[in-house]
Amino acid sequence: MRWEDPQKAAGQVDRAVKVAIGTRAFISRGIDYKSREVTLGLQRSSVRPQLEHCVQFWPSHWRKHVIARERVQRGFTRMLPGRGRFIYEERLNRLGLFSLERRETEG
C-alpha cells in the first residue's frame, strides 16, 4: 500500500511519534526503580512498536521523520541509569539495540 497524499503519511508519523513520546514520559514519571531489564522490556513492548507500526507506509526518505523517530529512542536510552553519559551509538551498542533506521533498512 502506498500513500497517495504525502501529508497523510506525515500526519501519521507525527501522531505516532507524539504517542511514543507520551508513553516514554509516562514510563519515566511512573516508575521509580528503573533497572535496565525493566526499562528495556517496557521500551520493547510499548514504545518501539508504536514507532515501527506503520514503517512500511512511512516515507522514510524524509529525513525529518527518521530523526523524529530516533529522537524518541535516544531519549529512552538516555533515561536508563548510568547510560546518559555515553553517546547514542555507544548506548545502543551497550544495550544490544539497533537504531530504528538500521532496523528499517535491514528488515
Side-chain angles (χ1 to χ4, degrees):
M1 177 176 181
R2 288 181 37 131
W3 288 101
E4 298 299 323
D5 184 8
Q7 293 302 322
K8 287 183 182 178
Q12 184 170 358
V13 171
D14 294 339
R15 283 189 301 277
V17 167
K18 186 176 179 179
V19 168
I21 289 172
T23 304
R24 182 187 74 191
F26 179 76
I27 292 169
S28 176
R29 287 189 312 258
I31 298 176
D32 292 331
Y33 179 67
K34 294 181 180 82
S35 71
R36 178 181 186 260
E37 294 79 22
V38 170
T39 309
L40 280 177
L42 289 170
Q43 191 262 355
R44 287 184 179 130
S45 65
S46 59
V47 176
R48 190 169 221 158
Q50 292 172 357
L51 297 174
E52 294 179 344
H53 176 67
C54 291
V55 74
Q56 59 203 2
F57 305 122
W58 290 354
S60 59
H61 58 277
W62 292 354
R63 190 71 186 148
K64 69 178 186 174
H65 294 149
V66 174
I67 291 170
R69 291 188 327 225
E70 289 291 336
R71 190 178 311 130
V72 175
Q73 181 165 296
R74 179 172 285 136
F76 205 94
T77 59
R78 193 178 303 125
M79 78 180 204
L80 291 168
R83 304 281 192 246
R85 66 178 186 267
F86 299 112
I87 61 171
Y88 176 57
E89 289 78 18
E90 181 67 23
R91 288 192 306 261
L92 289 176
N93 189 23
R94 288 176 182 254
L95 294 170
L97 298 173
F98 297 109
S99 71
L100 294 167
E101 185 176 16
R102 179 176 171 191
R103 283 178 56 109
E104 182 181 335
T105 58
E106 292 181 5

